[in-house]
Amino acid sequence: AQKITQTQPGMFVQEKEAVTLDCTYDTSDPSYGLFWYKQPSSGEMIFLIYQGSYDQQNATEGRYSLNFQKARKSANLVISASQLGDSAMYFCAGGNEKLTFGTGTRLTIIP
Amino acid sequence: EAGVAQSPRYKIIEKRQSVAFWCNPISGHATLYWYQQILGQGPKLLIQFQNNGVVDDSQLPKDRFSAERLKGVDSTLKIQPAKLEDSAVYLCASSPGTNTLQFFGPGTRLTVL
């Protein structure tokens, strides 16, 4: 069975600061992908970034980067220079064909 | 390119009534997923289709939930009869194939009274 754990139910961050959202995974599958999705209040899930378990380098997409530590089974999302529009729920998900989601972190950016 | 479309966006029904949700995936996407997202939780996969065949429906409560994907394009998810605990957002997602990035629709928020 696969399990994704997000231990931060909510976070408040000052605008323009960097923020790290935690995610740990538990799987015996050696070929495992980690995803981060953003869910604003409107409800849709927006894909942010992906890290494959065999990737040698940490993934980056604009202001988003993934701090992937395989030995610790963690895949933390780092958002640099946070903006008011970053306020949303953030979900970590893992798997290949079938995704398992964590419980999410509600991020609030303070002006 | 148009995204995943879902309707209705909101639905309120009373328990024991039936309800149906519709999903139109991104053109050309062979794989379609239905997820249930209960308030305060992450999405949980209900059923996965590959073209018009079911790949995984192990988490679908088959006594009350049904889903179909005729002709391998649009899909409908039905609940009959609904229970209070079915109140959730139902998300549809599609991907070009299995083991590829999933794109989500806006969801249907169901409230069962």
Side-chain angles (χ1 to χ4, degrees):
Chain A
Q2 299 167 347
K3 187 176 180 182
I4 299 290
T5 302
Q6 294 181 254
T7 58
Q8 304 154 310
M11 291 189 69
F12 291 85
V13 173
Q14 204 76 35
E15 189 180 7
K16 299 180 185 175
E17 289 187 350
V19 56
T20 299
L21 305 182
D22 295 341
C23 172
T24 58
Y25 61 95
D26 185 9
T27 180
S28 55
D29 184 351
S31 174
Y32 197 69
L34 279 307
F35 301 79
W36 277 93
Y37 284 86
K38 172 184 178 182
Q39 188 176 42
S41 56
S42 53
E44 76 272 27
M45 300 285 280
I46 301 168
F47 167 73
L48 296 178
I49 195 167
Y50 165 81
Q51 179 85 42
S53 58
Y54 291 124
D55 292 345
Q56 296 295 321
Q57 292 187 323
N58 287 340
T60 62
E61 287 287 348
R63 295 188 298 114
Y64 305 108
S65 61
L66 209 152
N67 184 0
F68 183 55
Q69 299 188 41
K70 201 168 183 177
R72 295 186 177 183
K73 291 192 172 181
S74 72
N76 299 338
L77 176 70
V78 180
I79 305 174
S80 63
S82 58
Q83 302 170 357
L84 296 178
D86 294 334
S87 293
M89 284 290 293
Y90 288 80
F91 289 95
C92 179
N96 291 305
E97 192 169 324
K98 190 166 67 172
L99 291 182
T100 300
F101 284 82
T103 52
T105 297
R106 181 173 296 281
L107 176 64
T108 302
I109 307 301
I110 305 167
Chain B
E1 178 181 273
V4 177
Q6 290 187 249
S7 66
R9 290 297 313 276
Y10 306 91
K11 189 74 176 179
I12 301 174
I13 61 172
E14 296 193 347
K15 60 183 179 183
R16 291 188 289 272
Q17 286 186 324
S18 63
V19 65
F21 312 128
W22 173 82
C23 173
N24 181 238
I26 293 173
S27 178
H29 281 196
T31 309
L32 186 146
Y33 309 81
W34 282 102
Y35 289 86
Q36 180 192 57
Q37 185 178 17
I38 294 173
L39 186 64
Q41 299 181 19
K44 181 187 81 171
L45 179 68
L46 292 176
I47 189 168
Q48 175 187 349
F49 291 94
Q50 178 70 15
N51 295 309
N52 61 349
V54 175
V55 175
D56 184 352
D57 63 356
S58 58
Q59 302 257 58
L60 187 74
K62 298 180 187 65
D63 58 334
R64 297 184 300 106
F65 286 64
S66 64
E68 60 182 10
R69 191 184 184 196
L70 300 176
K71 300 181 182 179
V73 182
D74 293 5
S75 178
T76 55
L77 176 70
K78 297 179 182 178
I79 308 175
Q80 182 179 9
K83 292 185 175 181
L84 296 177
E85 58 261 36
D86 298 332
S87 293
V89 175
Y90 291 84
L91 293 162
C92 179
S94 71
S95 63
T98 59
N99 203 20
T100 55
L101 178 62
Q102 297 180 28
F103 296 85
F104 284 80
T108 296
R109 184 177 298 276
L110 174 66
T111 302
V112 182
L113 303 176

